[in-house]
Amino acid sequence: MTTNPRRDRNLEDGMIMEPSERSIVVHRAPIWRDRADYIFRAAIPDPAPTASIEQLWGRKQGHLIEVCCIPYFLYDVNLGDLVSLSDENTLESVVEDKGHCTFRAFFSEHLESIADVDRDLRGRGAGTEWLSNRLVALDAPSGEAASELSAFLATLENRGVLEYETGRLRSP
């Protein structure tokens, strides 16, 4: 597992950006779109070469927001977590960690067919959100599922198919 496969990559080919002085990564097909009723933003730590903000989908839960997408670039923010927002509608903190684990995989070559890879990942219990034909954010709903997904991704990384990282730097 590499420490940060996005740091040295130009992801512009898959970056979906809004025209502005600050580029924004958006989720076109959030995994829990049917639950979502709110959009908010988060600053990307150690920003990707072409973006500094990630737009996230969520669901209002009282004064908190449930994360309804798999973050592409954030750490320790996972699908299902309850988060608080600032007055500027920007992520402040994770208030309740729901135990999901995020992974990101960067494929070494442009995939001709995302569908086959996506089907294989989903068959292993992973939720997926694709930013491009090379970058996918993956959700493992539990620690056990995360261990299994990590082992599978490590096998692919050892074969040179992809590089991957976990989006979880601290324990739930």
Side-chain angles (χ1 to χ4, degrees):
M1 177 170 64
T2 57
T3 54
N4 193 336
R6 69 179 166 81
R7 182 173 291 151
D8 300 320
R9 303 283 190 241
N10 181 348
L11 303 177
E12 193 168 337
D13 65 316
M15 201 67 65
I16 302 162
M17 295 179 281
E18 294 178 355
S20 71
E21 62 185 68
R22 298 182 82 180
S23 299
I24 300 172
V25 176
V26 299
H27 292 255
R28 284 199 166 163
I31 193 163
W32 288 352
R33 173 63 182 104
D34 58 328
R35 298 182 194 188
D37 62 7
Y38 201 80
I39 293 178
F40 61 101
R41 293 181 177 185
I44 297 173
D46 184 26
T50 55
S52 58
I53 301 289
E54 184 167 353
Q55 178 180 289
L56 302 163
W57 291 71
R59 177 172 66 163
K60 288 184 181 182
Q61 299 283 308
H63 67 284
L64 300 175
I65 304 295
E66 175 186 40
V67 177
C68 292
C69 58
I70 308 168
Y72 292 121
F73 297 110
L74 303 179
Y75 293 94
D76 296 317
V77 178
N78 300 282
L79 182 67
D81 286 353
L82 293 178
V83 300
S84 64
L85 304 180
S86 70
D87 292 338
E88 292 81 35
N89 202 39
T90 301
L91 177 73
E92 264 187 345
S93 66
V94 174
V95 175
E96 187 176 343
D97 185 319
K98 294 294 188 167
H100 286 245
C101 188
T102 299
F103 291 90
R104 287 172 282 266
F106 188 82
F107 288 85
S108 56
E109 295 183 21
H110 232 45
L111 298 174
E112 293 299 318
S113 174
I114 289 176
D116 293 338
V117 174
D118 192 70
R119 190 171 24 259
D120 191 24
L121 291 166
R122 286 176 182 264
R124 295 173 182 280
T128 61
E129 285 190 39
W130 291 85
L131 181 61
S132 71
N133 280 16
R134 296 182 75 184
L135 180 64
V136 62
L138 303 159
D139 171 67
S142 68
E144 182 180 331
S147 294
E148 291 173 15
L149 182 57
S150 181
F152 175 67
L153 293 171
T155 299
L156 294 178
E157 185 172 66
N158 290 336
R159 291 186 4 220
V161 174
L162 56 78
E163 293 178 45
Y164 83 100
E165 70 172 354
T166 178
R168 185 177 281 289
L169 300 178
R170 59 182 164 75
S171 298

